[in-house]
C-alpha cells in the first residue's frame, strides 16, 4: 500500500485544523512552515479540500482555514477521496484464482472500512505515544 504526499499532507493539514477547531483559523503558510513542506504544493491540496467542502476560508487579518464541520464528522476516507488519493492494495490479475481475488477484495474492504470509520476526532484524541510500525511484504 502506498500513500502519496498529497494524501499525507492533506491528512496532516486536516488534523491541524481539527486541533484548532473552534479556537483559531490556520494559514496554509503556517502549516507548511511547521511541516517543512512547500506552501505552494500544500495550497493545491487545500484547494481540493475546499472544493470538497471539507474546509472553508476567511479573508482578512484574522482569516485562514477552518473545518467546515466538526472533526467527528470528517473521515480519513473523505479526506483521501477529496485530494484524489487512491489506496490500492494490489491490482487483480486475470490469472488470479478465485481465492486470491477474494483475499485482495477482503484486504481492500478492510482498509477502506478503517478509513471510513476513523474520524479526525479519533486521530486528535488518540494517545500521543503510539509505537511506529513499518510493514514490509
Amino acid at each position: 500500500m502506498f500513500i502519496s504526499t498529497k494524501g499525507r499532507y492533506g491528512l496532516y493539514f486536516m488534523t491541524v485544523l481539527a486541533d484548532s477547531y473552534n479556537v483559531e483559523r490556520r494559514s496554509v503558510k503556517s502549516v507548511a512552515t511547521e511541516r517543512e513542506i512547500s506552501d505552494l504544493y500544500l495550497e493545491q491540496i487545500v484547494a481540493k479540500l475546499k472544493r470538497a467542502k471539507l474546509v472553508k476560508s476567511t479573508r482578512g487579518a484574522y482569516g485562514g482555514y477552518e473545518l467546515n464541520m466538526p472533526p467527528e464528522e470528517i473521515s480519513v476516507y473523505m479526506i483521501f477521496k477529496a485530494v484524489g488519493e487512491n489506496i490500492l492494495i494490489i491490482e487483480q490479475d486475470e490469472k488470479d484464482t478465485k481465492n486470491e481475488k477474494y483475499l485482495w477484495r477482503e484486504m481492500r474492504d478492510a482498509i477502506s472500512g478503517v478509513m471510513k470509520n476513523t474520524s479526525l476526532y479519533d486521530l486528535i484524541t488518540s494517545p500521543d505515544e503510539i509505537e511506529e510500525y513499518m510493514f514490509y511484504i
Side-chain angles (χ1 to χ4, degrees):
M1 179 173 82
F2 176 79
I3 299 173
S4 72
T5 54
K6 68 182 172 186
R8 290 177 186 274
Y9 295 172
L11 185 61
Y12 177 75
F13 185 78
M14 294 295 284
T15 57
V16 168
L17 295 187
D19 274 332
S20 303
Y21 186 67
N22 281 337
V23 177
E24 67 177 329
R25 294 179 186 97
R26 296 295 305 268
S27 70
V28 171
K29 182 118 179 122
S30 71
V31 175
T33 301
E34 285 174 15
R35 188 67 172 198
E36 297 179 354
I37 58 176
S38 164
D39 57 328
L40 297 175
Y41 183 49
L42 185 57
E43 187 68 57
Q44 293 172 10
I45 295 166
V46 172
K48 292 178 180 189
L49 295 167
K50 189 174 178 182
R51 273 194 298 277
K53 299 187 183 341
L54 296 178
V55 299
K56 59 186 174 183
S57 63
T58 305
R59 293 178 169 250
Y62 299 102
Y65 286 91
E66 61 187 317
L67 297 180
N68 203 26
M69 59 191 84
E72 50 274 358
E73 294 180 20
I74 302 173
S75 70
V76 171
Y77 181 84
M78 293 166 69
I79 296 165
F80 281 7
K81 185 177 176 185
V83 300
E85 182 68 77
N86 291 318
I87 303 299
L88 184 63
I89 301 300
I90 192 164
E91 287 189 38
Q92 288 190 16
D93 186 287
E94 66 268 359
K95 295 176 185 171
D96 286 344
T97 66
K98 187 190 298 186
N99 291 339
E100 289 170 326
K101 288 178 183 178
Y102 170 80
L103 176 62
W104 309 148
R105 186 175 55 249
E106 288 294 307
M107 290 172 63
R108 181 202 64 216
D109 292 349
I111 289 177
S112 179
V114 169
M115 291 182 350
K116 287 178 179 177
N117 291 307
T118 304
S119 71
L120 282 175
Y121 181 79
D122 297 328
L123 295 177
I124 64 171
T125 58
S126 293
D128 289 336
E129 302 215 7
I130 297 175
E131 287 188 52
E132 294 183 28
Y133 295 96
M134 293 294 287
F135 294 98
Y136 296 97
I137 298 176

